[in-house]
Amino acid sequence: VLLDYQSGPEKVAANAPARAKTLKEILTSLGPTFIKVGQALSIRSDLLSPVYCETLAELQDAVPPFPSDEAKATITEELGLRDISDVFRELSPEPIASASLGQVYRGHLQPVLGGDEVAVKVQRPDMLETIALDLYLLRVGAKVVSSLFPVKSDLVGVVDTWGFGFVDELDYRREAANTS
């Protein structure tokens, strides 16, 4: 990117689509916290060019799923089941949606439980630990950036505020209670 800038605005513009795609791939490979960062940046046209915003906006609805066998093991463990069929007559083999924090399956409860069609939201494995470490690293990075550059914002405070909201999204039980 620096070489692009040294070569002039034409080079920056010509390479922007490839650079934006690479950034999206890097953020995706770094995991949920950084996918969320990319999602947040995708609406910041005051900070990024339209090409970057459009490419990062793909993170809003194009996050790769994690393996369904892991998701179903999580469902079984979290619900304290012997077998997933104890509760679900049917559960879609693959997620119907995937996001940075988890994915959603379509299910039908057993008739004894009402037989309703339900959405089953499953969190990615080890989310809290992953997010805690990532937020710690972002916080350390914010301190370094603030000490090296004249930033007119409390970057650590921004990371903390964003982190509180992000961690709050992990409480699926409260989310479920709020939908009833």
Side-chain angles (χ1 to χ4, degrees), residues 6 13 32 57-58 60 70 93 99 102 105 107 116 127 129 132 153 156-157 170:
Q6 287 181 337
E58 294 171 12
Q60 302 289 354
E70 287 181 40
Y105 292 84
D116 293 336
M127 283 302 301
E129 296 84 0
S153 180
V156 173
L170 295 175

Side-chain angles (χ1 to χ4, degrees), residues 173-180:
R173 292 182 195 277
R174 189 179 60 229
E175 181 182 342
N178 289 338
T179 62
S180 2

Side-chain angles (χ1 to χ4, degrees), residues 66-167:
F66 63 96
S68 287
D69 58 334
E70 287 181 40
K72 291 176 182 179
T74 298
I75 294 167
T76 303
E77 180 183 328
E78 289 287 322
L79 295 178
L81 305 174
R82 184 178 37 82
D83 187 84
I84 205 162
S85 64
D86 293 346
V87 171
F88 301 101
R89 175 175 47 89
E90 181 184 345
L91 195 64
S92 59
E94 297 300 321
I96 58 172
S98 179
S100 57
L101 300 182
Q103 54 202 35
V104 179
Y105 292 84
R106 177 177 285 122
H108 286 91
L109 296 174
Q110 289 291 357
V112 69
L113 297 172
D116 293 336
E117 182 176 33
V118 294
V120 182
K121 194 169 181 181
V122 186
Q123 214 167 83
R124 290 180 181 275
D126 304 316
M127 283 302 301
L128 186 58
E129 296 84 0
T130 299
I131 289 169
L133 177 59
D134 289 346
L135 288 172
Y136 172 76
L137 294 173
L138 285 171
R139 201 168 193 280
V140 168
K143 285 181 183 178
V144 170
V145 169
S146 293
S147 70
L148 294 175
F149 301 101
V151 179
K152 294 181 181 179
S153 180
D154 174 12
L155 291 182
V156 173
V158 169
V159 170
D160 287 347
T161 300
W162 183 74
F164 286 126
F166 188 23
V167 170

Side-chain angles (χ1 to χ4, degrees), residues 12-28 34-45 48-64:
V12 171
N15 288 336
R19 303 279 190 231
K21 182 177 185 237
T22 300
L23 177 60
K24 182 185 88 167
E25 291 167 354
I26 290 169
L27 293 173
T28 300
F34 294 92
I35 291 170
K36 283 285 194 189
V37 169
Q39 290 171 340
L41 287 173
S42 75
I43 59 170
R44 295 300 307 264
S45 58
L48 299 175
S49 72
V51 171
Y52 277 85
C53 288
E54 290 167 17
T55 302
L56 292 177
E58 294 171 12
L59 294 173
Q60 302 289 354
D61 35 61
V63 178

